[in-house]
Amino acid sequence: MPLDGLMLGYLARELSDALEGGRVDKIAQPERDELQIAIRAGGQNHLLLISANAGTARLHFTGQRKSSPLEPPMFCMLLRKHLGGGRVIAVRQAGGDRIVEIWVENLSELGDQRTLRLVCEFMGKHSNLILVAPDGRIIDSARHVTYEISRVREVLPGLPYERPPIQGKLPFDALDAQALAGALAQHPGLLSRALSQTVSGLSRQTAQELALRAAGDEEAAVDAQTAALLAERVCALLAQPIPPQPCIVLAQDGAPLDVTPFPYEQYRCLERRDFPDLSSALDAFYRARDLAERIQQKSAALRRVLRSNIARCEKKLALQLEALEGSQRMEEYRVKGELLTAAQGMARKGQKSVTLTNYYDPACGPIEVALDEKLSPAQNAQRYFKLYQKARTAQVLAAEQSRLTREELDYLEGQLFNLDACEEEAALNEIREELEKQGYVRANHNRRQMKKLPPSKPLHMLSSSGRHILVGRNNLQNDRVTQTAEPEETWLHAKDMPGSHVVIVGPDPDPVTLREAALLAARYSRGGSSSQVPVDYTLRKYVKKPAGAKPGFVIYTHQRTLYVTPTEEALRGLRPAD
């Protein structure tokens, strides 16, 4: 669920209890719209994540420290200047809305004590992070909002800070039953829709939960006659907050569906995972989702480059195959030239064609030879010999060029597969660096270049019988997995398609391990969703990398082939080694 007024109320109380009196140690800005603030409080180190991303705006403690730019952004340096070393004196929710203010006490440049506010607004695409001075004026913000962007509210350095307009809605933290009843009476229909339209900071899920608890049905309706009763019940529910019991609700397929501050009755039929605090629940819920979204955003440009080059190669290959097909007439040109040379007396200058006996045909049938009227028979014969030589040369060149184009096309399709399978930022950076070296992408000279991440690691799995299996998930990992394997270890790869290099650690794998390794090779290949995927396997000593070959490219011999279908059921016996 999005961070609405109810969720932020629980979260602000939790963060306030943990952070009040704490000291701000470090501030980092790994993304344009995201901060990570290290705070020492109560004898513990806390890493506070604050995100103003349109789809995942939130704040909570996190256990994942992200890589920061080599040169911090201006907003990050400004926050370090004003908040670094300061004391957190309060974490408050503003007006029951989707706004949290972090109050920090610090010394000014002149040594005077002063209190600043870091205002965190979580409002979808309008989310923002704003630093406010003691006099209420904006020092700076993560996003500048000019008059051209919004005529309602500007967010620029030097302007007085104003909260976003509540659009005539009732404040969530100070609901009055009589005022709520009047507002509900003016919005007849679904109670949940009426609540979200009349009360500020309510998400659809929370409005449905309030409707379910107040009327016994999340699809309950409200009208002028029932508005007063339902308003009293809603206000009574909000006046006595339910004790926090954070949990993640799981969909039927086991995927995280929602995170709530306490078990919602509307999800009572679904499985849930309980957490000790709301930050842990939010961190677990958003970590995989946020990483996937960030990788999707950062890989979009690479994806466009790869698809553009794949289209270029396909077009070039079609032209080369067309030239190769045209070169098939070279024998026809040679035969006609030979026949004209042998029978020059039967042709005359000015003729458009001549019919000759084809001695190269076992039946010695007639053949019609087209002539250039302006040329003599001997010159026409030489013209055919030149066409023959040209077609012969084109055949050799087109065959070689088409081979190189196919290799490039296979490489690009493999990189696109690696990009689709990318699950971590380090692996994404490795793919980008490789494409830079191959000349497909310009080197990144951006001043906000990120710090060098440690090399990504291959997937490390254990078979049902406890044997170790390594799976490369990009070209550099594939090279490392293959080059570090022992000569007698078993190497696997999906046949004739982009995919991972897989190595079974140790010699002589048992049949179950061999089949499970083949399942991994099929799963992490372009045929991962197909049935009866062919997987070649051989000893590592029979796998060679040609000199000058692109990363991830090898040739191998002495292979045998298994046919496997990589279903979830078939892969169930495998487990991560770490």
Side-chain angles (χ1 to χ4, degrees):
M1 65 180 286
L3 249 64
D4 64 357
L6 180 68
M7 174 74 84
L8 278 177
Y10 282 91
L11 195 54
R13 289 189 289 272
E14 179 182 299
L15 296 179
S16 180
D17 292 341
L19 296 180
E20 282 191 10
R23 183 170 63 88
V24 177
D25 281 341
K26 295 180 181 179
I27 301 174
Q29 189 176 354
E31 308 286 350
R32 175 178 173 272
D33 52 10
E34 185 175 298
L35 297 174
Q36 286 193 335
I37 304 178
I39 301 173
R40 177 74 177 177
Q44 292 184 329
N45 294 318
H46 303 279
L47 185 61
L48 181 65
L49 181 148
I50 310 175
S51 173
N53 180 272
T56 57
R58 66 198 190 277
L59 87 163
H60 55 78
F61 295 136
T62 182
Q64 182 183 22
R65 189 181 295 274
K66 293 186 177 181
S67 177
S68 298
L70 292 174
E71 183 175 333
M74 291 297 297
F75 185 60
C76 179
M77 291 191 290
L78 185 139
L79 290 177
R80 290 176 180 177
K81 173 185 175 182
H82 290 283
L83 302 184
R87 292 282 175 183
V88 178
I89 59 174
V91 180
R92 301 172 185 166
Q93 182 185 20
D97 208 344
R98 295 164 293 170
I99 302 173
V100 170
E101 297 178 342
I102 302 175
W103 296 69
V104 179
E105 190 177 68
N106 203 2
L107 296 177
S108 68
E109 295 177 346
L110 300 176
D112 299 327
Q113 197 81 15
R114 61 176 186 165
T115 301
L116 301 99
R117 283 182 291 160
L118 179 61
V119 182
C120 311
E121 300 178 350
F122 306 109
M123 299 183 175
K125 65 180 182 180
H126 302 296
S127 299
N128 207 347
L129 306 175
I130 306 168
L131 183 63
V132 181
D135 62 359
R137 293 189 175 273
I138 298 172
I139 299 176
D140 205 352
S141 60
R143 289 191 178 97
H144 289 180
V145 182
T146 63
Y147 183 76
E148 287 75 18
I149 297 174
S150 173
R151 299 184 180 183
V152 177
R153 174 176 174 257
E154 294 180 78
V155 180
L156 293 171
L159 294 181
Y161 171 73
E162 298 177 357
R163 289 180 183 170
I166 62 174
Q167 300 173 337
K169 294 185 177 182
L170 300 173
F172 174 76
D173 61 338
L175 274 183
D176 175 73
Q178 186 175 355
L180 179 59
L184 292 178
Q186 296 177 11
H187 294 79
L190 283 177
L191 175 59
S192 59
R193 185 185 300 127
L195 286 171
S196 61
Q197 290 175 344
T198 57
V199 181
S200 65
L202 274 190
S203 67
R204 178 180 57 85
Q205 294 93 327
T206 299
Q208 288 177 343
E209 184 67 17
L210 286 173
L212 177 60
R213 290 176 180 263
D217 184 2
E218 60 186 87
E219 300 294 328
V222 63
D223 53 29
Q225 287 71 36
T226 59
L229 176 61
L230 292 174
E232 287 182 5
R233 292 180 179 177
V234 169
C235 290
L237 287 170
L238 296 177
Q240 298 178 346
I242 299 174
Q245 189 183 344
C247 61
I248 290 179
V249 181
L250 304 177
Q252 293 182 350
D253 60 357
L257 176 66
D258 204 349
V259 56
T260 60
F262 53 85
Y264 276 18
E265 291 185 2
Q266 61 185 296
Y267 296 136
R268 58 185 176 275
C269 297
L270 297 176
E271 185 181 353
R272 74 171 194 262
R273 287 173 54 199
D274 294 330
F275 288 82
D277 52 65
L278 200 48
S279 278
S280 301
L282 286 167
D283 196 31
F285 181 79
Y286 280 107
R287 179 174 296 186
R289 176 179 165 184
D290 188 48
L291 179 61
E293 287 186 0
R294 294 291 186 187
I295 287 180
Q296 185 71 20
Q297 292 172 1
K298 292 182 177 182
S299 65
L302 295 181
R303 204 177 303 276
R304 286 195 298 271
V305 169
L306 288 172
R307 286 175 176 162
S308 174
N309 280 280
I310 287 173
R312 173 184 58 80
C313 285
E314 289 175 342
K315 183 177 180 179
K316 185 165 69 171
L317 183 61
L319 294 174
Q320 290 165 349
L321 293 177
E322 184 179 344
L324 199 58
E325 183 179 350
S327 69
Q328 302 302 317
R329 297 187 62 190
M330 68 179 185
E331 282 302 313
E332 177 189 342
Y333 298 146
R334 185 185 65 81
V335 168
K336 288 181 177 179
E338 295 283 359
L339 293 176
L340 275 175
T341 302
Q344 291 188 24
M346 299 180 65
R348 296 286 184 273
K349 186 176 182 179
Q351 285 182 283
K352 292 184 178 180
S353 65
V354 63
T355 301
L356 303 174
T357 302
N358 186 2
Y359 298 107
Y360 293 92
D361 182 7
C364 292
I367 182 172
E368 186 174 355
V369 181
L371 301 175
D372 188 331
E373 302 173 44
K374 299 177 182 178
L375 302 178
S376 66
Q379 290 173 327
N380 270 299
Q382 289 303 313
R383 182 173 68 88
Y384 275 111
F385 286 135
K386 287 180 181 179
L387 289 173
Y388 165 72
Q389 289 296 337
K390 184 178 180 181
R392 184 179 180 183
T393 303
Q395 184 184 50
V396 174
L397 290 176
E400 175 63 15
Q401 291 299 319
S402 64
R403 181 186 67 80
L404 295 175
T405 303
R406 287 183 191 275
E407 288 181 0
E408 184 181 9
L409 191 58
D410 289 342
Y411 172 77
L412 293 170
E413 288 178 343
Q415 284 291 58
L416 187 60
F417 168 78
N418 292 336
L419 204 59
D420 291 336
C422 190
E423 296 179 351
E424 54 180 316
E425 195 169 348
L428 180 63
N429 288 346
E430 289 175 350
I431 293 173
R432 181 181 180 86
E433 289 173 4
E434 182 182 335
L435 291 174
E436 287 179 2
K437 291 178 181 177
Q438 297 298 326
Y440 293 103
V441 178
R442 291 183 180 180
N444 184 10
H445 298 298
N446 191 339
R447 296 179 68 190
R448 284 198 76 243
Q449 185 179 2
M450 305 300 286
K451 294 178 181 177
K452 184 72 174 178
L453 293 172
S456 63
K457 295 181 180 180
L459 184 65
H460 190 181
M461 303 293 288
L462 290 176
S463 70
S464 300
S465 54
R467 294 290 296 269
H468 293 264
I469 303 173
L470 299 177
V471 184
R473 288 182 287 181
N474 62 38
N475 288 344
L476 295 182
Q477 287 186 18
N478 286 337
D479 280 347
R480 288 197 292 265
V481 163
T482 300
Q483 291 168 4
T484 57
E486 296 296 328
E488 297 300 320
E489 291 179 341
T490 303
W491 181 92
L492 305 94
H493 193 281
K495 185 180 179 67
D496 298 330
M497 66 181 74
S500 298
H501 294 195
V502 177
V503 169
I504 302 173
V505 180
D508 302 322
D510 57 274
V512 173
T513 296
L514 181 62
R515 186 164 189 82
E516 288 178 338
L519 286 167
L520 287 172
R523 169 67 179 82
Y524 292 97
S525 75
R526 193 167 59 187
S529 57
S530 305
S531 59
Q532 293 300 300
V533 180
V535 176
D536 288 339
Y537 66 96
T538 186
L539 295 181
R540 163 63 185 86
K541 63 184 178 181
Y542 298 126
V543 181
K544 308 295 181 185
K545 187 174 185 67
K550 286 183 169 63
F553 180 79
V554 294
I555 55 176
Y556 54 90
T557 57
H558 298 76
Q559 71 270 20
R560 301 177 70 180
T561 305
L562 281 173
Y563 290 85
V564 295
T565 302
T567 62
E568 293 297 329
E569 182 68 27
L571 292 162
R572 188 166 295 174
L574 292 155
R575 63 187 187 279
D578 50 359

